[in-house]
Amino acid sequence: MRKAIFLILPITLIFSSNRGVQAQQVDSLVDRPYLALVKGDTPNNCSFISADLLERVADIVKGLVFVRPGDPLERVRYKMRFLPDQPNATNMLQWTAVAGGNYTQAIVNLRNNSVQSRNFTMAINYNQPNERRCQWEVREPRQEILLDSPTSPLDQ
């Protein structure tokens, strides 16, 4: 009986601590920028890669997430760590790469020398009849919450 209790207790602690870690991870994801699928190769979906995987493996996407709205042009260039396709651009910075039939393009749109939007496009089988392409946009969580939140009684 004692052995059973000692075996159940650690399993219960491990299970409950994992749930706590998952809750902390979810909370931390809410406070940071994220990739939202704008256009998939199938309705509301990208069949060949997920936003989560992109954010973990693609350096250019990590850079886009690190760039913040309102950042000036010089700060964007510093944060991205890659040379843009048009080094003297003032309204848009773009990075493009084609390798082994894969195509990636990251764009930072600027207005008045500050970041307005960031998006990322990826394609497989680039320029082939069976090309599949998906586009994501980097979104700020606070914007989404403010847009979807109901008005408070104080606002009325």
Side-chain angles (χ1 to χ4, degrees):
M1 179 76 168
R2 267 186 157 168
K3 287 183 182 179
I5 291 172
F6 286 124
L7 290 176
I8 292 171
L9 185 60
I11 292 171
T12 306
L13 291 174
I14 290 169
F15 179 71
S16 62
S17 68
N18 283 344
R19 289 180 64 192
V21 169
Q22 289 172 350
Q24 288 172 352
Q25 289 172 348
V26 170
D27 289 342
S28 68
L29 291 176
V30 171
D31 293 339
R32 57 187 215 100
Y34 63 94
L35 291 177
L37 185 66
V38 174
K39 184 178 180 185
D41 62 328
T42 62
N44 300 321
N45 192 20
C46 187
S47 66
F48 60 91
I49 197 162
S50 69
D52 292 340
L53 184 60
L54 267 175
E55 197 173 321
R56 285 195 306 256
V57 299
D59 286 339
I60 197 86
V61 175
K62 290 177 190 174
L64 282 180
V65 172
F66 189 58
V67 169
R68 304 303 288 199
D71 279 351
L73 178 67
E74 298 78 26
R75 191 155 182 89
V76 173
R77 287 184 176 145
Y78 173 77
K79 287 181 176 181
M80 289 300 288
R81 297 183 345 212
F82 302 98
L83 291 176
D85 297 344
Q86 317 92 353
N88 298 318
T90 56
N91 293 326
M92 178 183 77
L93 291 175
Q94 175 180 306
W95 297 264
T96 308
V98 179
N102 295 327
Y103 166 86
T104 57
Q105 181 184 60
I107 296 175
V108 174
N109 289 303
L110 303 143
R111 186 180 311 144
N112 298 328
N113 194 35
S114 69
V115 173
Q116 296 298 307
S117 66
R118 302 155 283 169
N119 61 64
F120 178 86
T121 302
M122 184 174 218
I124 59 172
N125 303 318
Y126 182 62
N127 275 342
Q128 302 296 316
N130 58 345
E131 177 182 298
R132 292 186 294 175
R133 182 183 295 230
C134 297
Q135 182 181 7
W136 292 267
E137 180 179 76
V138 180
R139 294 193 181 157
E140 298 295 321
R142 299 198 196 298
Q143 290 174 347
E144 295 297 317
I145 293 167
L146 292 174
L147 291 175
D148 293 338
S149 65
T151 58
S152 71
L154 298 175
D155 292 340
Q156 298 174 353

